[in-house]
Amino acid sequence: MARPRTLPDADVHVAICRMLAGGGERAVSFGTVSRATGLAAATLAGRFGSRDGMMLAALAHFWDGLDEATNAAATETKAPAFLKALGEAAEPQIVALSLTLPEMRPRAEAWRRSVEAALSLRLGKAEPAAMMFALWQGQRLWQAAGGRGFKLKDATRRLGSAG
């Protein structure tokens, strides 16, 4: 099969994010991205400069998309519906990875603050909003690892009556 001559950066970023979500940082190399996208490893190196540069560009793309999804979810008036509207955009493995990278940590922290603020508006209190955010992210992380979760709707009811 012939390799494609061009592929938009956004498509390359999506492929890298899939790799990060499925196998973590170790899953990403010029070789693995080359096989996933059909672009030559040399093309990727020329485009992104380094493996880290390629990964950081993909993570920036991920955070741009998550910010857009968060803004779109703002139309939901109930806390569980708001979090559900974020859906798959809030990939927990990528969020967790971003917290370990100095270049991405500010994006992750800013997003957490914005989600907690949105939850606080819906719940009426800041502390339950922070707890709900932590529960939601923990649930998503452990569900990806095969763990059973709780019903976020039930937790929302309990947190809404807390305090």
Side-chain angles (χ1 to χ4, degrees), residues 3-123:
R3 291 185 182 271
R5 289 180 165 247
T6 61
L7 192 66
D9 282 351
D11 292 350
V12 176
H13 297 155
V14 168
I16 292 168
C17 286
R18 265 193 236 112
M19 291 176 186
L20 290 170
E25 195 174 349
R26 293 181 187 168
V28 177
S29 69
F30 284 129
T32 59
V33 175
S34 173
R35 286 189 291 281
T37 63
L39 294 174
T43 300
L44 294 166
R47 212 184 264 195
F48 298 106
S50 67
R51 174 196 168 273
D52 287 348
M54 179 173 66
M55 199 169 66
L56 290 173
L59 288 170
H61 177 82
F62 165 80
W63 284 106
D64 291 345
L66 187 50
D67 288 342
E68 288 176 21
T70 303
N71 290 336
T75 60
E76 298 294 339
T77 58
K78 303 230 182 237
F82 170 72
L83 294 176
K84 187 174 182 179
L86 287 175
E88 297 304 311
E91 177 59 54
Q93 289 81 356
I94 297 177
V95 172
L97 171 63
S98 294
L99 289 170
T100 69
L101 301 171
E103 301 89 345
M104 291 293 122
R105 187 178 182 109
R107 295 281 309 261
E109 289 175 345
W111 175 73
R112 177 191 52 82
R113 285 189 303 272
S114 73
V115 172
E116 285 181 2
L119 290 171
S120 183
L121 287 173
R122 287 154 180 81
L123 296 172

